[in-house]
Amino acid sequence: MARKTDIPSSYYGEPRKFDPAFRGPVHNRSCTDVVCCVIFIIGILGYIALGSVAWIHGDPRKVVFPTDSHGQFCGQQGTNNANKAILFYFNILRCASPSVLINLQCPTTQLCVSKCPDRFATYREMKRNYKNWEYYKQFCRPGFDNPDKPVDQVLRDEDCPSMIVPSRPFLQRCFPDFVTRNGTLTVRNQRSFQDGDGVTRSVADLRDAANGIASLLDAKEVGMKIFEDYASSWYWILIGLVITMVVSLLFILLLRFTAGVLLWLVIFGVLAALGYGIWHCYWEFSSLRGNSDADVTLSQIGFQADFSIYLQLSQTWLVFMISLSVIEAIIILILIFLRNRIRIAIALLKEGSRAIGYIMSTLFYPIITFFLLAICIAYWAMTAVFLSSSGDAVYKVMSTQSKCVYANQTCDPETFSQSSLPVACQGSQCAFAFYGGESLYHRYILLLQLCNLFLFLWLVNFTIALGQCTLAGAFASYYWALKKPQDIPPFPLFSSFGRAIRYHTGSLAFGALILAVVQFFRIGLEYLDHKLKGSHNAFTRFLLCCLKCCLWCLERFIKFMNRNAYIMIAIYGKNFCTSAKDALFLLMRNVVRVAVLDKVTDFLLFLGKLLISGSVGVLAFFFFTRKIPVIQEEVPSLNYYWVPLLTVIFGSYLVAHGFFNVYAMCVDTLFLCFCEDLERNDGSSARPYFMSPGLHKILHNGEQAAKLCTGS
């Protein structure tokens, strides 16, 4: 008995029938997915309410300025601390306590000062030598000027620090001025000092105490330096992005006339650039190999904020060389096996160039997308900062006595002195600990942050969906014009944008919602994986890896399906589910296009983006490393030159991606229309093809093209 292996053609829906009245995007359409549209509008209003609540309760000063023990900001203009921008720790040795990590606060009095101490001194020494009182009292509590008060009471009440050590400002905080001499840690050439009780201590004790705070501030240090680099180089970063924009625009304009030649030049240009990179990496590796200082492995030096350190290692250049060689080999293999498909893809890109040439306004639509995305990102970032800084000052009991049972309990600084706590715990005080609260709002800040993230993802995906649907409608208007350009409707981009907003906001929001849910769970898994990075449970790591892989594949599939569904929405005006089903069936009837041709065009466009962003990146590297003699004096002083460099490279790729995405959307739309054209028409005078003669000629004839589309 013979087994039937062929799937019937009706399994994936019936092919489109000839319709003499069909002339491209349907104009007589109605609103789709209204329920999702209403939910989306409610979500936007809720997001605005969330931002408003965050702005009311939040205070970014809590992030920018350090806070003293009285809950006052150091360095804030208009206050008594306007000229006191540095935080001083009365007894930094206590910062080695585990409570630093538990309570995120050093258990000692903290005071805003105008400068850090520059000498070793103790309060007991000062009492024996009053000539130092004027200098020492600037580190005492404001208003304290009673050197006759008994020493034990002064130290118990922490009116003055028991000792001061030479320090320097670091992240607006006074840290011991450590210097390593001949492998020995010193502070002002001293390896030991006397604490406030007259006990000789090692400088290493100061280092341990400083590390207790520094471990909380290392990220902020790098962040501040990165911010400084952005502040001094933003102008040149902007110039680099403008150069990318101009080059991308010129590249697309040249594709209009020399698509075939230019794309082959891009292919060989990328291969040549990778070849040069391989040779340069080998040259650097050969010159550093054998040098004892350069033979250190990457794992031995760990993470370094200064990337130039890595460039001094031979292993770094070996990794670069191997990576570039693998990429070069993959590209060559792709070109060999897909050389015939590349010729067809170039034909489609030529047709796309012609469409863009007739609808030039599509080249500038990415600017609208960039603007909307910038608004989304800025709103999300500001809301996140204000949510993080929401909360009132929380004060806790801090005591010099280790047996104080009330230590770390919440207290009120206004009533603390009248309570029994100072008597029960001698020397205790009610000091600022952190910002927080016990109200309903403060208990749900984490949930609000998650809502902020989810709504941000939804809005970003909606913005991208709106751009894809708008461009698809414009290019479909071009394809289904029988006589080009005479039959192209006026203002096709504006008309398509109006249709997408007026009729299909709900459908676009529906597709964006599905994608946002998957991305939200992916981010959650990445966070969980980061937290469990030190886990030695192999099964847990394997399970997380599988889940991350599955969600990544699901996200890619949904993006692909959404993109094609938006094309169908732009043409036929149906709801999201129906359009997604029609798109799926059309894609399944065009398996070869899905498996090969679509990815070939994406591959060619990716090479173009890679060449442009790589070229601008090389130019930025020579500029920020002062290797262009003509403009060396114009280069700003930077902490990390890789900060603006990576920003330019990544930003250039995004800018090029924005312009090339117009091309990719054009090609996808034209090919879907092309396959539908073959289903609807037969090329006769009664049912003529809408495809251009050039495209029809390159694809040989309708029969061969049909075989391509059906995968037969």
Side-chain angles (χ1 to χ4, degrees):
M1 182 176 180
R3 184 177 59 181
K4 187 176 181 179
T5 58
D6 294 336
I7 297 176
S9 59
S10 60
Y11 188 84
Y12 296 120
E14 294 294 336
R16 297 284 181 179
K17 302 299 183 181
F18 173 70
D19 182 2
F22 182 75
R23 288 294 184 271
V26 176
H27 294 281
N28 185 18
R29 57 180 72 193
S30 59
C31 296
T32 56
D33 296 305
V34 178
V35 174
C36 194
C37 179
V38 173
I39 296 175
F40 181 62
I41 294 174
I42 293 174
I44 292 177
L45 295 177
Y47 201 16
I48 295 174
L50 173 61
S52 301
V53 171
W55 294 339
I56 291 172
H57 290 86
D59 188 354
R61 295 177 303 174
K62 299 171 185 176
V63 179
V64 177
F65 300 106
T67 308
D68 65 10
S69 295
H70 302 288
Q72 298 176 344
F73 299 118
C74 298
Q76 183 186 358
Q77 297 299 320
T79 65
N80 295 331
N81 292 331
N83 298 321
K84 300 177 179 180
I86 308 171
L87 190 67
F88 169 71
Y89 298 92
F90 265 37
N91 189 351
I92 197 172
L93 291 173
R94 293 183 187 168
C95 298
S97 168
S99 63
V100 175
L101 297 177
I102 297 174
N103 300 310
L104 300 181
Q105 189 73 2
C106 182
T108 186
T109 299
Q110 298 165 40
L111 190 70
C112 297
V113 296
S114 57
K115 62 180 181 179
C116 296
D118 59 5
R119 65 195 72 172
F120 282 106
T122 65
Y123 186 78
R124 297 180 187 278
E125 289 178 350
M126 185 278 304
K127 287 285 291 184
R128 294 192 295 268
N129 188 359
Y130 281 104
K131 69 178 181 180
N132 293 328
W133 170 242
E134 290 301 321
Y135 177 80
Y136 201 94
K137 75 174 183 179
Q138 65 181 314
F139 303 106
C140 297
R141 291 181 182 272
F144 179 78
D145 192 7
N146 184 14
D148 297 328
K149 185 177 180 178
V151 174
D152 292 338
Q153 293 184 22
V154 171
L155 300 182
R156 183 196 65 193
D157 298 337
E158 291 201 337
D159 294 320
C160 289
S162 61
M163 65 174 182
I164 57 175
V165 298
S167 307
R168 58 184 175 88
F170 175 72
L171 298 177
Q172 295 180 273
R173 290 162 174 82
C174 291
F175 279 87
D177 190 8
F178 296 114
V179 177
T180 302
R181 298 183 182 278
N182 298 324
T184 303
L185 186 68
T186 64
V187 174
R188 289 295 170 90
N189 296 323
Q190 293 186 212
R191 290 181 292 179
S192 61
F193 66 99
Q194 285 192 338
D195 63 11
D197 297 325
V199 178
T200 301
R201 307 285 292 267
S202 170
V203 169
D205 295 335
L206 288 175
R207 179 196 58 196
D208 295 338
N211 286 340
I213 308 173
S215 61
L216 301 175
L217 303 176
D218 281 344
K220 185 175 180 181
E221 175 201 7
V222 176
M224 291 294 291
K225 288 185 177 181
I226 290 175
F227 179 79
E228 292 173 359
D229 289 342
Y230 278 129
S232 58
S233 62
W234 69 268
Y235 178 75
W236 295 105
I237 293 175
L238 190 61
I239 290 178
L241 299 181
V242 170
I243 292 174
T244 305
M245 186 179 298
V246 173
V247 173
S248 299
L249 188 60
L250 290 175
F251 188 89
I252 291 178
L253 291 177
L254 287 174
L255 279 177
R256 171 72 174 83
F257 306 101
T258 59
V261 175
L262 192 59
L263 287 172
W264 283 113
L265 285 176
V266 167
I267 292 172
F268 290 113
V270 170
L271 292 176
L274 288 173
Y276 171 78
I278 294 171
W279 174 84
H280 182 77
C281 291
Y282 176 76
W283 182 81
E284 292 283 357
F285 172 73
S286 300
S287 61
L288 292 173
R289 185 172 53 182
N291 188 337
S292 58
D293 295 332
D295 284 338
V296 181
T297 62
L298 294 172
S299 59
Q300 288 175 329
I301 65 170
F303 174 76
Q304 300 291 331
D306 186 2
F307 276 21
S308 62
I309 295 176
Y310 295 110
L311 300 181
Q312 299 171 12
L313 305 179
S314 60
Q315 192 179 76
T316 302
W317 294 103
L318 179 62
V319 171
F320 285 164
M321 182 178 66
I322 295 174
S323 301
L324 292 177
S325 300
V326 171
I327 294 173
E328 178 101 340
I330 292 174
I331 293 177
I332 291 175
L333 290 175
I334 291 175
L335 292 174
I336 292 174
F337 287 105
L338 299 180
R339 57 189 182 277
N340 293 327
R341 299 296 179 187
I342 288 175
R343 287 199 291 268
I344 300 175
I346 290 176
L348 281 173
L349 290 173
K350 286 182 179 179
E351 187 68 16
S353 301
R354 191 173 294 107
I356 293 175
Y358 288 133
I359 314 176
M360 290 292 293
S361 56
T362 55
L363 287 178
F364 300 97
Y365 187 84
I367 298 176
I368 299 176
T369 301
F370 289 149
F371 177 72
L372 294 176
L373 289 177
I375 293 177
C376 294
I377 294 172
Y379 189 88
W380 166 78
M382 292 296 295
T383 303
V385 169
F386 275 86
L387 282 174
S388 300
S389 60
S390 296
D392 303 320
V394 175
Y395 296 84
K396 290 195 173 185
V397 177
M398 294 187 182
S399 175
T400 56
Q401 299 180 7
S402 59
K403 297 182 180 180
C404 178
V405 295
Y406 299 103
N408 293 327
Q409 290 189 7
T410 305
C411 58
D412 185 352
E414 296 182 359
T415 60
F416 181 77
S417 59
Q418 288 81 32
S419 66
S420 60
L421 288 178
V423 178
C425 296
Q426 293 291 326
S428 63
Q429 58 174 318
C430 186
F432 167 79
F434 54 86
Y435 291 102
E438 298 297 330
S439 67
L440 183 66
Y441 169 76
H442 294 109
R443 286 201 297 267
Y444 287 98
I445 280 188
L446 176 60
L447 179 61
L448 294 177
Q449 286 282 24
L450 294 177
C451 291
N452 180 34
L453 174 62
F454 179 76
L455 289 170
F456 164 72
L457 294 174
W458 195 3
L459 285 174
V460 166
N461 287 315
F462 175 82
T463 301
I464 296 173
L466 177 61
Q468 292 175 343
C469 189
T470 299
L471 292 172
F475 293 128
S477 298
Y478 160 82
Y479 185 92
W480 295 109
L482 187 58
K483 297 181 180 179
K484 303 175 178 63
Q486 294 87 348
D487 291 345
I488 299 177
F491 309 110
L493 183 68
F494 180 78
S495 300
S496 180
F497 181 81
R499 288 193 299 269
I501 287 291
R502 180 180 178 183
Y503 297 110
H504 307 303
T505 296
S507 297
L508 300 180
F510 192 10
L513 175 63
I514 297 172
L515 187 56
V517 170
V518 176
Q519 291 174 336
F520 185 76
F521 281 107
R522 275 200 68 197
I523 293 174
L525 274 181
E526 291 290 346
Y527 176 78
L528 187 61
D529 183 46
H530 176 74
K531 287 297 183 181
L532 298 177
K533 204 164 253 186
S535 173
H536 298 288
N537 191 323
F539 178 75
T540 302
R541 294 199 305 270
F542 173 75
L543 183 61
L544 278 176
C545 183
C546 291
L547 289 174
K548 286 165 59 178
C549 180
C550 292
L551 283 180
W552 180 85
C553 294
L554 179 61
E555 180 184 354
R556 299 294 297 178
F557 175 75
I558 291 176
K559 282 184 176 180
F560 181 77
M561 284 302 305
N562 281 4
R563 186 183 183 92
N564 289 280
Y566 298 146
I567 295 175
M568 304 303 285
I569 290 173
I571 297 175
Y572 296 103
K574 298 180 181 180
N575 61 49
F576 178 81
C577 292
T578 302
S579 299
K581 182 193 71 173
D582 292 343
L584 176 62
F585 285 173
L586 183 61
L587 293 174
M588 294 307 296
R589 295 197 301 267
N590 302 284
V591 176
V592 175
R593 181 260 173 184
V594 177
V596 179
L597 197 55
D598 178 71
K599 294 307 172 186
V600 171
T601 54
D602 288 346
F603 173 69
L604 293 178
L605 294 177
F606 170 73
L607 291 182
K609 291 182 283 188
L610 194 65
L611 185 63
I612 292 175
S613 58
S615 301
V616 176
V618 170
L619 180 63
F621 173 78
F622 285 119
F623 174 78
F624 288 116
T625 54
R626 301 177 184 270
K627 293 184 179 180
I628 304 179
V630 181
I631 52 176
Q632 276 186 347
E633 297 180 357
E634 302 294 332
V635 181
S637 178
L638 301 169
N639 296 302
Y640 311 123
Y641 75 86
W642 54 265
V643 171
L645 176 61
L646 292 181
T647 304
V648 168
I649 294 175
F650 184 69
S652 298
Y653 184 84
L654 290 181
V655 171
H657 176 74
F659 282 98
F660 279 74
N661 190 55
V662 174
Y663 237 104
M665 202 67 205
C666 179
V667 170
D668 283 353
T669 304
L670 293 181
F671 199 87
L672 282 181
C673 293
F674 166 76
C675 289
E676 287 213 359
D677 193 8
L678 290 176
E679 292 182 351
R680 289 177 176 274
N681 307 298
D682 57 9
S684 63
S685 58
R687 296 167 58 184
Y689 288 127
F690 284 80
M691 69 185 76
S692 66
L695 181 61
H696 186 251
K697 180 180 178 181
I698 291 174
L699 294 175
H700 302 295
N701 51 57
E703 182 181 356
Q704 184 171 347
K707 291 181 179 179
L708 169 65
C709 289
T710 58
S712 58

